[in-house]
């Protein structure tokens, strides 16, 4: 029997870090799959394939044809379709699956959060009076801002929002985390922001905006995660490595 093959569904820094940790080992082969959303994806330490599979059944075929022994869903916590597909595909292909998910941020004393179910709900909750909004949820979903054009929007994304939004009062900033507290405070003050719309993505790289909001007393419309993955969840790269070692341990391979 050859070395176990692992398919990692990526698009997050955790996926890259896990791939990095597995790349130096000689006991498994890893392929990293990216959706192909970003124009200039970060360099990756293992072979990469790019683009959708064509749904859960096609992903299951991909796993079977490629003789993968493990599927790791290390996609973003808000990438819900691919995570649902991953769980179905692993079951169809009869292979184990693990989801690597950073824990959600927890409300701290001083946080002024209003939890909402979606970006659209967050925008509706802004109310009728004009506000100065930092839309920090990336370019996907930014078009919802058009439903409440009375507000000013500062929209930050890795790639440009195209087409530009039909809004009179909008600024775009292109940037990729990690962000520092100092820079986030400067940005919020510069644009006189009084409310932030953020996804509860978790992790340290983009947490500074939440800390900055707390420090400056700014309200946050926090978009909550819809559902937990339907497979075993680990929260850190280290925990994923332990789970992989367990799955591929000699005893497990013998079915003990
Ligand atoms: P999504 O709605 O769950 O996925 C839409 C479709 O994109 C999937 O059905 C799948 O197409 C394809 N896809 C997604 N991730 C893939 C992957 N790693 N490899 C191959 N195909 C993939 O996801 P999304 O919200 O558009 O996010 C796309 C990617 O960006 C994800 O990989 C995610 O990790 C990353 N990302 C998302 C966010 C966010 O806030 N949503 C933030 C940062 C990074 P098929 O059905 O054709 O297979």
């Amino acid at each position: 029997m050859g070395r176990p093959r692992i398919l990692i569904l990526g698009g997050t820094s955790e996926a890259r870090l896990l791939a990095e940790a597995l790349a130096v080992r000689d006991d498994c082969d890893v392929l990293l799959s990216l959706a192909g959303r970003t124009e200039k994806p970060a360099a990756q330490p293992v072979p990469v394939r790019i683009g959708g599979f064509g749904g859960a059944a096609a992903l299951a075929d991909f796993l079977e044809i490629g003789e993968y022994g493990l599927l790791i869903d290390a996609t973003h916590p808000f990438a819900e379709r691919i995570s649902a597909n991953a769980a179905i595909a692993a079951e169809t292909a009869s292979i184990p699956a693990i989801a690597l998910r950073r824990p959600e941020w927890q409300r701290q004393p001083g946080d002024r959060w209003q939890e909402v179910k979606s970006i659209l709900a967050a925008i509706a909750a802004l109310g009728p009076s004009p506000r100065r909004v930092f839309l920090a949820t990336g370019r996907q979903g930014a078009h919802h801002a058009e439903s409440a054009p009375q507000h000013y929007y500062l929209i930050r994304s890795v790639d440009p929002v195209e087409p530009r939004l039909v809004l009179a009062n909008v600024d775009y900033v292109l940037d990729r985390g990690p962000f520092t507290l100092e820079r986030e405070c400067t940005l919020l003050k510069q644009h006189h922001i009084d409310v932030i719309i953020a996804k509860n993505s978790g992790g340290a790289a983009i947490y500074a905006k939440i800390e900055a909001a707390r420090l400056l007393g700014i309200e946050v419309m926090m978009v909550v995660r819809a559902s937990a993955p339907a497979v075993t969840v680990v929260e850190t790269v280290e925990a994923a490595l332990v789970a992989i070692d367990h799955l591929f341990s000699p005893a497990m391979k013998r079915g003990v």
Side-chain angles (χ1 to χ4, degrees):
M1 204 171 88
R3 299 191 296 188
R5 308 194 70 194
I6 301 175
L7 179 66
I8 302 178
L9 302 173
T12 57
S13 51
E14 288 83 357
R16 185 172 43 75
L17 291 172
L18 178 62
E20 216 166 78
L22 292 171
V24 296
R25 295 170 38 156
D26 57 7
D27 60 350
C28 58
D29 287 321
V30 178
L31 178 66
L32 179 65
S33 174
L34 301 175
R37 294 282 192 280
T38 39
E39 285 167 11
K40 290 183 203 134
Q44 301 290 345
V46 295
V48 171
R49 69 162 294 286
I50 294 183
F53 296 91
L59 175 53
D61 288 346
F62 187 93
L63 293 168
E64 280 172 347
I65 292 164
E67 297 181 353
Y68 285 91
L70 173 63
L71 177 63
I72 300 180
D73 169 15
T75 59
H76 190 272
F78 281 84
E80 284 149 15
R81 188 137 44 103
I82 186 70
S83 292
N85 287 354
I88 296 167
E91 198 179 343
T92 308
S94 305
I95 63 164
I98 299 169
L100 172 53
R101 279 290 176 288
R102 7 171 151 137
E104 290 180 320
W105 298 317
Q106 299 299 322
R107 193 191 295 260
Q108 301 297 318
D111 280 336
R112 296 178 55 211
W113 290 8
Q114 182 173 336
E115 293 197 332
V116 286
K117 288 205 168 116
S118 64
I119 298 174
L120 188 59
I123 288 167
L126 293 171
S129 306
R131 302 193 64 179
R132 296 193 63 87
V133 187
F134 177 26
L135 189 53
T137 46
R139 71 173 167 169
Q140 276 179 297
H143 62 278
H144 290 306
E146 289 177 347
S147 66
Q150 70 273 31
H151 308 298
Y152 161 83
Y153 294 95
L154 172 66
I155 299 179
R156 181 165 68 193
S157 55
V158 173
D159 293 311
V161 176
E162 299 288 0
R164 289 310 215 207
L165 303 179
V166 186
L167 289 170
N169 220 352
V170 59
D171 281 317
Y172 299 94
V173 49
L174 285 187
D175 212 345
R176 190 196 288 261
F179 302 106
T180 64
L181 178 58
E182 196 186 346
R183 251 177 78 190
E184 296 293 56
C185 284
T186 306
L187 187 76
L188 294 173
K189 285 185 201 160
Q190 230 169 31
H191 295 273
H192 307 285
I193 297 299
D194 62 55
V195 58
I196 299 176
I197 298 178
K199 290 178 184 166
N200 196 334
S201 301
I206 55 168
Y207 186 61
K209 62 175 179 266
I210 307 301
E211 286 180 291
R214 185 184 310 138
L215 210 68
L216 301 174
I218 293 174
E219 191 184 351
V220 177
M221 298 285 177
M222 186 63 85
V223 183
V224 296
R225 298 180 188 180
S227 54
V231 300
T232 304
V233 178
V234 293
E235 293 188 341
T236 62
V237 169
E238 293 69 31
L241 290 168
V242 170
I244 292 166
D245 283 340
H246 178 70
L247 280 167
F248 294 138
S249 68
M252 284 297 282
K253 279 188 204 160
R254 287 198 308 271
V256 178

